[in-house]
């Protein structure tokens, strides 16, 4: 009877499966999901979704150096970074502006409006083609116009965009540091919408079917004041000595919602914010938690249901209690709800300024020349080192001699005391942008103004966009600085505290300025030909005849007949 | 080959030189004989053409050219609730309106901040009426539109003091209630800036300068004030007092005769007509009593036209909004004409709807306003004259001058001895012109013009002799000194051209000089009309005939008559006449001119001193040569 052999067959199968399973389990894929909610000072609400997938870099197949097995880590991403020899990759889609003055610093540091991509790539002969191919592949994957990041938008920062994080293997591994180069590109005017979110959700192990990601409702998410979605890939060390490494994929969605706009009150709940509730944790997650950063005064609010754990002022810098909900312990759907014990919300009269922030604006008017100024604010009582990065498109011709770094109201401070280091890459027309990078030491309690002037290029008529009169977008300046934990970067401190991901004493903060619109001289595309032909004809006719008339010297000419006679006479006289 | 053959063919037909010269002489004689009258004719054709422009047959109906605007197509949400908010604001504004500038600005700052705007106060320094340093305070707020990239913005502004001299209470109340309305919605693709300016023109100019980083003044609050992106369009609300209004007036002329894109005006008019349903007009003209007969209609159009020409020719912005045009911001002022009780008046509700709907339209813009016209005349709020129709008259004026100039240039001053050689008299002078004397005259007068400009400028004070402030006395002294310089320049020029020279030489000199002056005038008229048509047209209108008639004569009364004519046309007397006509004092007129120059950067003063007056001075030389 074949049926008798069944148990032994199963045994055999199990025996065969065992090593495979152990192989899989040794790969140690892990997945964590987190939602951080924090009320902001101007009545808005920050909701930061973070999904972390870790894959053991030991799973690297030695034969061809590719990831052979994919568990929770998305294969599409793995293949892309493998194929293009990418070491670290950051891709951010942002819509709206992060208001540093009202909201402090964002949790996900990349916050420049538009689509931003920067990657550390292995330096070899094909790095340029790899970068081009990477942008095109990501463009396909995320349904974005990333393929427009060509040579004219790509820059290689020398001082900014260093690999980040204390655990980052770059800081521990010699091999990583050797032969890697950074590429940076930004599309300031790229709109972000559902078609970008859908492929992003697909990278999650539970999609949006279970876990925190169920809250990612595109209808609600894109009706917010600020929306940013990102993927960050970096190699990290598993232990202090960095003997084994893993690859970390952090997917984030940051939203700033405005409950006040609807009702005038700050109350919120999951169903009012996202139109959904969290049904359960994602089953494959190691950790699934909702963290709420509570206001410091207990009597101001009510939070239902009650939290599982509360962390009271754990870190010295965190002055506010933190409520944590562990989703894996919840059997009921979670619809978090917060009610404030107040009537209408009134905006605070003064904004709470973060320690270092910056604003950028265009100066001057007219189509011929202009300038750009960046005001960098330092609100601390001590001087602060920052690095400044700005990539200016080639069609604004910067004049380096007009670069001026001054401290407003403190004229006695010399420019050389502020500027510690300067890197400038001139543009090549139609192929490379200008890059201006500086290491600055901001004096305490100061506003440092960096200004530079430029000429506007008269573009070829085919180089204008279809919406020629809109102008051209100029990307943001980026300011990078190291700051200890404080009130303005509370949210990210808390997130790192609860996830226990990376616990540095000082955080790397990036401040993105506004993007700008440069209006270049634009020909009238509605009727170029008749205008040009008519004007030129009139000018040619008028100028020609009048010039002729004025310049002509009048002299009496002899009649031809007389002339001939004269000539004859001359000949005769000559011969005689 | 063909060319050579043709050449031979024509060469054979050529007549002997004498005959040809004779022919040419006849032809040119004919031209010389008729050109003066032809050019006078051209002038009158130009004048008649200008007068025809207001006639409906010569202008067209306006239309919205930018498809994205879709004016009057949206549902508006400005409701009774918002009217109540505006009423509340009106009462509170009335409480602070008489207080200090600082507390007024503080009030606006608080209101905007509480509405959720990113508000700030701008302290600026400017020049007051007597050109001393003065201070002012603007308050403004920026609504960072959700999800927008903040590269574009719309500006809604209102001054504290209306153009009528009353406080702009309703205007500001309406702006503040609109600010709350704007904040409630997320459909904005552009940031919205609400600006309440302290002293209208000075405050607006100071804010625009600071926003564009042009001039910060000495105060650092302007450096670090919050900013948004490139401002696409601006509406300035001017609704004086607390009463209701019978009609809406639109002021659109900017500094130096610049005009906003016609689409902006069309949008506001369309919204006013269909959504807000308020009567509208241009400037302070009557909106209610529509002209019935063709003659009435013509006269009304002519009035609109002359209003615009007056503002443009003086380079004076007709309202605060006119200052924004330099920064490539299309801007107009909407002004409420206070109701007299005869007609159905309108209040906050329709004002709110008007601005809301207009802003919704502007919000639709995908590109900067560029479709419609930047060069136009409005004969009424819904009809315009395009550049193709109004440009020819000025070109005719310039032609008139150029033709005369050419005739003078080729007029023989003396009998050429060529006649004896060839036996034929020449039609035109072939002798080399002696330009030295004429050019030195022109250089002298232009130098005098520059010197006058330098002295008249408010920044100039007479060293220790007369200490600033620039008061009435200073203005009068400056004017007299200018006249003195002009007179000296004229005397110098006359001596330059007539001293130690033969009569024939002098005879030729005046022709050449007048020819140069006319050509220069033609050049000025034609080229200035491209930048500021009205200035070119007005200059052409008053100058062409007198300048054409000027010539030396032995009769003393005629000489004097010509001198008087030139004096009337000289800037100082013209200014005096303009001032008298507008029932004002010449000192006030000068102050307005200087304020425009100093605060708003109007270049009329520079134009008068360095382009217009020197030619005028040089022409005196022609009379007295």
């Amino acid at each position: 009877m074949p049926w008798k052999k069944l148990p032994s067959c199963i045994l055999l199968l199990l025996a065969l499966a065992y090593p495979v399973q152990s192989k899989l389990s040794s790969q140690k894929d892990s997945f964590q999901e987190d939602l951080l909610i924090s009320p902001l000072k101007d009545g808005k609400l920050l909701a930061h979704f973070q999904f972390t997938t870790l894959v053991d870099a030991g799973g690297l197949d030695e034969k061809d150096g590719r990831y052979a097995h994919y568990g929770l880590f998305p294969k599409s991403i793995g293949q892309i970074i493998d194929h293009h020899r990418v070491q670290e990759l950051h891709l951010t889609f942002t819509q709206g502006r992060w208001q540093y003055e009202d909201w402090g610093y964002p949790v996900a540091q990349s916050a420049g409006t538009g689509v931003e991509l920067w990657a550390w790539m292995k330096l070899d002969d094909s790095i340029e083609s790899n970068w081009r191919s990477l942008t095109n592949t990501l463009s396909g994957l995320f349904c974005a116009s990333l393929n427009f990041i060509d040579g004219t938008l790509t820059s290689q920062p020398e001082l900014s965009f260093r690999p980040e994080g204390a655990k980052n293997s770059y800081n521990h591994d010699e091999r990583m540091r050797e032969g890697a180069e950074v590429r940076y590109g930004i599309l300031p005017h790229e709109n972000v919408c559902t078609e970008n979110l859908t492929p992003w959700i697909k990278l999650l192990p539970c999609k949006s079917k279970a876990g925190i990601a169920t809250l990612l409702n595109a209808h609600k998410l894109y009706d917010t004041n600020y929306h940013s979605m990102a993927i960050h890939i970096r190699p990290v060390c598993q232990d202090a000595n960095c003997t084994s490494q893993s690859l970390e994929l952090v997917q984030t969605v940051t939203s700033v919602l405005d409950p006040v706009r609807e009702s005038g009150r700050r109350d919120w709940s999951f169903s009012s914010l996202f139109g959904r509730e969290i049904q359960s944790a994602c089953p494959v997650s190691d950790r699934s938690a909702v963290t709420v950063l509570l206001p410091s005064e207990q009597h101001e609010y009510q939070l239902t249901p009650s939290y599982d754990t509360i962390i009271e002022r754990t870190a010295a810098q965190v002055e506010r209690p933190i409520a944590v909900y562990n989703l894996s312990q919840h059997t009921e759907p979670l619809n978090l709800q917060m009610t404030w014990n107040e009537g209408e919300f009134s905006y605070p009269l003064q904004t709470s300024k973060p320690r270092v922030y910056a604003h950028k604006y265009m100066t001057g008017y007219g189509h011929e020349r202009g300038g750009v100024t960046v005001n960098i604010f330092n609100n601390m009582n001590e001087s602060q080192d920052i690095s400044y990065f700005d990539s200016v498109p080639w069609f604004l011709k910067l004049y380096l001699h007009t670069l001026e770094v001054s401290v407003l109201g403190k004229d006695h401070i010399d420019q050389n005391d502020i500027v510690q280091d300067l890197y400038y890459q001139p543009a090549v027309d139609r192929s490379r942008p200008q890059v201006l990078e500086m290491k600055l030491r901001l004096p305490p309690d100061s506003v440092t103004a960096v200004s530079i002037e430029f000429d506007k290029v008269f573009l070829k008529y085919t180089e204008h966009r279809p919406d020629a009169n809109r102008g051209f977008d100029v990307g943001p300046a980026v300011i990078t600085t190291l700051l200890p934990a404080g009130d303005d970067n509370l949210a990210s401190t808390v997130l790192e505290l609860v996830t226990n991901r990376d616990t540095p004493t000082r955080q790397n903060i990036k401040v993105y300025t506004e993007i700008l619109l440069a209006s270049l001289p634009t020909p009238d595309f509605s009727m170029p030909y008749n205008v040009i032909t008519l004007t030129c004809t009139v000018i040619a006719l008028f100028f020609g005849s009048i010039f002729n008339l004025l310049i002509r010297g009048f002299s009496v000419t002899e009649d031809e007949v007389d002339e001939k006679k004269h000539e004859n006479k001359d000949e005769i006289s000559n011969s005689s | 080959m063909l060319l050579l053959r043709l050449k031979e063919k024509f060469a054979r037909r050529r007549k002997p030189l004498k005959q040809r010269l004779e022919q040419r002489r006849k032809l040119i004689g004919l031209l010389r004989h008729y050109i003066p009258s032809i050019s006078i004719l051209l002038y009158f054709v130009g004048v008649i053409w200008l007068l025809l422009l207001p006639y409906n047959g010569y202008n067209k109906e306006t239309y919205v050219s930018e498809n994205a605007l879709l004016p009057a197509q949206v549902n508006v949400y400005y409701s009774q609730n918002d009217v109540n908010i505006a009423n509340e604001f009106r009462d509170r504004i009335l409480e602070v309106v008489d207080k200090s500038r600082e507390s007024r600005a503080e009030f606006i700052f608080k209101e905007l901040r509480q509405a959720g705007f990113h508000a700030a106060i701008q302290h600026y320094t400017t020049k007051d009426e007597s050109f001393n340093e003065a201070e002012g305070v603007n308050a403004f707020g920026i609504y960072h539109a959700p999800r927008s990239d903040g590269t574009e913005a719309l500006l809604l502004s209102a001054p504290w003091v209306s153009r009528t001299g009353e406080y702009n209470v309703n205007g500001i109340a309406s702006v503040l209630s609109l600010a709350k309305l704007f904040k409630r919605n997320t459909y904005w693709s552009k940031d919205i800036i609400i600006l309440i300016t302290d002293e209208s023109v000075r405050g607006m100019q100071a804010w625009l300068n600071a926003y564009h980083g042009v001039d910060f003044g000495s105060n650092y609050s302007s450096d670090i004030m919050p900013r948004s992106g490139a401002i696409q369009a601006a509406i300035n609300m001017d609704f004086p007092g607390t009463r209701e209004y019978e009609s809406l007036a639109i002021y659109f002329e900017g500094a130096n005769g610049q005009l906003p894109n016609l689409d902006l005006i069309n949008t506001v008019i369309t919204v006013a007509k269909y959504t807000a349903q308020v009567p509208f007009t241009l400037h302070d003209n009557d909106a209610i009593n529509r002209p019935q007969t063709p003659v009435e209609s013509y006269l009304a159009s002519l009035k609109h036209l002359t209003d615009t020409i007056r503002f443009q020719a003086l380079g004076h912005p007709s309202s605060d909004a006119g200052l924004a045009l330099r920064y490539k911001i299309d801007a107009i002022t909407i002004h409420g004409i206070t109701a007299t009780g005869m007609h159905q008046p309108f209040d906050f509700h329709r004002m709110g709807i008007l601005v809301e709907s207009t802003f919704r339209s502007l919000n639709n813009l995908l590109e900067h306003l560029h479709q419609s016209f930047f060069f136009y005349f409005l004969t009424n709020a819904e009809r315009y004259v395009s550049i193709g129709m109004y440009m020819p008259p000025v070109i005719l004026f310039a032609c008139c001058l150029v033709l005369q100039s050419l005739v003078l240039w080729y007029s023989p001053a003396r009998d050429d001895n060529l006649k004896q050689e060839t036996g034929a008299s020449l039609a035109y002078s072939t002798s080399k012109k002696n330009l030295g004397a004429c050019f030195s005259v022109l250089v002298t007068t232009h130098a005098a013009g520059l010197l006058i400009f330098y002295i008249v400028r408010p920044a100039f004070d007479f060293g220790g002799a007369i200490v600033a402030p620039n008061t009435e006395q200073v203005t009068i002294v400056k004017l007299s000194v200018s006249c003195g310089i002009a007179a000296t320049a004229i005397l110098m020029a006359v001596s330059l051209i007539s001293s130690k020279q033969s009569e024939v030489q002098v005879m030729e000199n005046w022709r050449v000089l007048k020819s140069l002056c006319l050509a220069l005038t033609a050049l000025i008229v034609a080229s200035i009309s491209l930048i500021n048509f009205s200035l070119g047209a007005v200059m052409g209108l008053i100058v062409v005939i007198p300048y054409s008639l000027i010539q030396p004569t032995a009769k003393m009364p005629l000489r004097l008559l010509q001198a008087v004519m030139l004096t009337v046309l000289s800037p100082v007397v013209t200014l005096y006449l303009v001032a008298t006509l507008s029932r004002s004092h010449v000192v006030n007129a000068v102050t307005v001119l200087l304020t425009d120059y100093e605060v708003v950067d109007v270049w009329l003063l520079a134009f008068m001193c360095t382009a217009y007056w020197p030619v005028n001075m040089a022409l005196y030389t022609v009379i007295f040569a």
Side-chain angles (χ1 to χ4, degrees), chain B residues 304-320:
Chain B
H304 286 303
L305 207 65
T306 45
D307 280 348
T308 304
I309 289 180
R310 200 182 66 227
F311 281 120
Q312 282 193 306
L314 294 176
H316 186 69
S318 65
S319 68
D320 299 357

Side-chain angles (χ1 to χ4, degrees), chain A residues 42 44 95-97 99 101-102 113 188-189 191 221-227 258 261 345-351 353 359-367 375 377 407-411 447 449 466-470 473 514-517 519-520 522 524 526 542 546 549-550 552 554-560 562, chain B residues 11 14-18 20-21 24 106 109-111 113-118 142-152 183-186 190-191 209-214 216 220 222-230 232 326-328 366-371 402 406 409-410 418 421-422 426 428-430 601:
Chain A
D42 64 343
K44 311 245 177 349
Q95 186 142 43
R97 286 149 290 165
Q99 305 289 343
E101 282 168 71
D102 287 320
T113 308
H189 191 54
N191 280 319
L221 221 49
Y222 289 105
D223 188 25
T224 54
N225 279 42
Y226 170 87
H227 173 268
D258 190 3
R261 191 180 71 221
F345 171 73
S346 60
Y347 289 90
L349 276 184
Q350 290 304 327
T351 53
K353 311 231 181 276
H359 289 296
K360 183 176 175 182
Y361 62 95
M362 287 275 184
T363 57
Y365 54 86
H367 276 149
N375 286 332
F377 297 75
V407 180
L408 297 183
K410 292 170 187 165
D411 297 329
V447 184
D467 51 351
N469 283 285
R470 184 177 171 274
D473 293 278
E514 295 85 352
I515 58 171
L516 303 175
L517 204 56
S519 72
L520 300 182
T522 316
D524 183 357
S526 57
F542 183 74
I546 294 295
L549 201 56
L550 288 178
R552 175 176 285 176
F554 290 96
S555 62
V556 181
T557 53
E558 302 286 321
D559 213 351
E560 287 87 348
D562 301 342
Chain B
R14 285 179 81 176
K15 290 172 187 163
L17 180 65
K18 250 181 228 170
R20 272 187 287 144
L21 284 179
R24 202 174 290 173
E106 194 69 31
F109 170 81
K110 275 186 186 156
E111 290 305 329
R113 183 66 201 155
Q114 265 155 23
F117 276 62
H118 200 140
I142 299 171
Y143 172 37
H144 295 289
R147 284 172 299 130
S148 81
D149 55 10
T151 51
E152 295 171 346
K183 188 72 183 27
R184 279 209 302 271
N185 297 303
T186 53
K190 299 169 178 36
D191 286 0
N209 276 346
Y211 189 89
H212 294 93
V214 177
F216 295 122
Y220 288 105
S222 300
D223 276 272
I224 57 167
M225 72 183 203
R227 289 178 176 85
S228 175
Q232 305 290 308
R326 174 179 305 130
Y327 303 90
K328 209 187 165 204
L366 298 172
E367 299 177 58
H368 202 279
L369 282 169
H370 68 282
Q371 287 274 1
V402 167
L406 286 174
W409 180 263
Y410 290 114
L418 286 165
E421 270 185 26
T422 56
L426 278 176
Y428 41 78
S429 149
T430 56
D601 277 349

Side-chain angles (χ1 to χ4, degrees), chain B residues 114-288:
Chain B
Q114 265 155 23
F117 276 62
H118 200 140
I121 290 177
Q122 183 210 0
H123 294 267
Y124 62 88
T125 48
T126 180
K127 300 272 168 59
D128 64 6
E129 285 77 12
S130 44
F131 306 104
N132 293 319
E133 290 282 305
E135 299 204 336
V137 195
N138 289 330
F140 68 102
I142 299 171
Y143 172 37
H144 295 289
R147 284 172 299 130
S148 81
D149 55 10
T151 51
E152 295 171 346
L154 299 172
L155 175 65
L156 179 60
S157 67
W160 271 105
V161 181
S162 160
R163 60 184 308 115
T164 59
E166 283 178 90
Y167 284 117
N168 186 16
V169 179
N170 277 355
I172 294 178
S174 186
V175 165
L176 290 177
S177 70
L178 280 161
K180 287 204 159 183
L181 174 82
F182 290 159
K183 188 72 183 27
R184 279 209 302 271
N185 297 303
T186 53
Y187 45 59
W188 298 106
S189 67
K190 299 169 178 36
D191 286 0
I192 291 171
I193 305 175
I194 304 280
L195 167 68
I196 310 292
T197 52
D198 189 353
E199 301 151 288
S200 46
V201 171
R202 291 180 171 81
M204 189 76 171
Q205 186 67 40
W207 188 85
L208 286 167
N209 276 346
Y211 189 89
H212 294 93
V214 177
D215 175 26
F216 295 122
S218 53
N219 200 314
Y220 288 105
S221 75
S222 300
D223 276 272
I224 57 167
M225 72 183 203
R227 289 178 176 85
S228 175
I231 301 172
Q232 305 290 308
I235 303 280
N236 185 39
M237 283 187 87
D238 187 331
F239 289 83
T242 53
R243 280 166 301 164
E244 297 178 318
Y245 306 96
E246 67 174 22
S247 60
L248 183 78
I250 289 173
Y251 288 85
F252 55 96
E253 295 88 353
N256 293 325
Q258 262 186 298
L259 296 175
N261 193 287
L262 188 54
D263 264 346
L264 180 64
I265 299 171
N266 290 344
T267 306
V268 173
I269 295 292
T270 314
V271 170
K273 195 172 177 182
Y274 296 106
T275 308
Q277 295 175 347
V278 293
F280 47 84
T281 179
L282 299 175
H283 306 113
D284 48 2
N285 295 305
D286 191 1
I288 309 296

Side-chain angles (χ1 to χ4, degrees), chain A residues 171-363:
Chain A
N171 299 326
H172 302 275
D173 193 342
E174 269 306 317
R175 282 180 305 157
M176 288 271 183
R177 255 169 291 177
E178 276 169 16
E181 259 193 16
V182 67
R183 291 288 183 279
Y184 171 88
I186 188 162
L187 291 173
H189 191 54
E190 178 76 5
N191 280 319
V192 185
C193 205
T194 326
E195 77 265 23
N196 308 116
L197 183 69
T198 313
W200 183 94
I201 287 178
K202 276 188 184 165
L203 302 178
L204 297 171
C206 292
K207 310 284 186 286
S208 59
K209 300 276 187 284
I212 285 165
T214 36
L215 295 183
L216 295 175
N217 177 356
H219 282 288
K220 294 280 186 182
L221 221 49
Y222 289 105
D223 188 25
T224 54
N225 279 42
Y226 170 87
H227 173 268
S228 172
M229 130 197 150
I231 65 167
H232 303 280
I233 301 163
R234 55 172 193 164
V236 290
C237 297
Q238 286 178 354
D239 48 43
N241 297 327
C242 208
T243 47
S244 53
Q245 296 177 4
S246 13
L247 194 64
E248 184 195 61
L249 166 70
V250 179
Q251 286 180 262
T252 61
V253 166
T254 310
S255 259
V256 175
L257 304 118
D258 190 3
V260 180
R261 191 180 71 221
E262 300 282 321
S263 55
R265 288 172 57 83
R266 282 193 280 176
D267 305 345
W268 57 269
S269 69
F270 278 171
S271 47
S272 76
L273 295 180
F274 305 108
R276 288 175 190 169
E277 301 170 354
I278 302 179
Q279 300 295 333
S280 65
C282 175
V284 294
S285 62
D286 296 344
R287 181 193 142 75
S288 180
V290 177
T291 311
V292 185
L293 199 58
L294 297 169
S296 38
E297 301 298 327
Q298 191 102 42
H299 59 82
E300 283 180 343
Y301 64 93
Q302 274 123 33
L303 190 65
T304 53
S306 61
Y307 28 80
D308 305 325
T309 45
I310 186 152
I311 307 171
E312 290 269 11
R313 296 177 172 82
T314 21
Q317 298 88 354
V318 182
E319 293 287 316
R320 284 152 66 178
I322 307 156
V324 180
Y325 295 82
N326 245 325
L327 287 180
S328 45
Q329 292 164 13
H330 280 258
T331 46
E332 295 286 300
L334 180 67
N335 182 17
L336 209 55
Q337 202 166 353
M338 189 163 170
T339 344
W340 291 78
N341 299 331
E342 63 179 13
E344 290 234 329
F345 171 73
S346 60
Y347 289 90
L349 276 184
Q350 290 304 327
T351 53
S352 54
K353 311 231 181 276
R355 284 168 290 180
V356 175
Y357 63 99
H359 289 296
K360 183 176 175 182
Y361 62 95
M362 287 275 184
T363 57

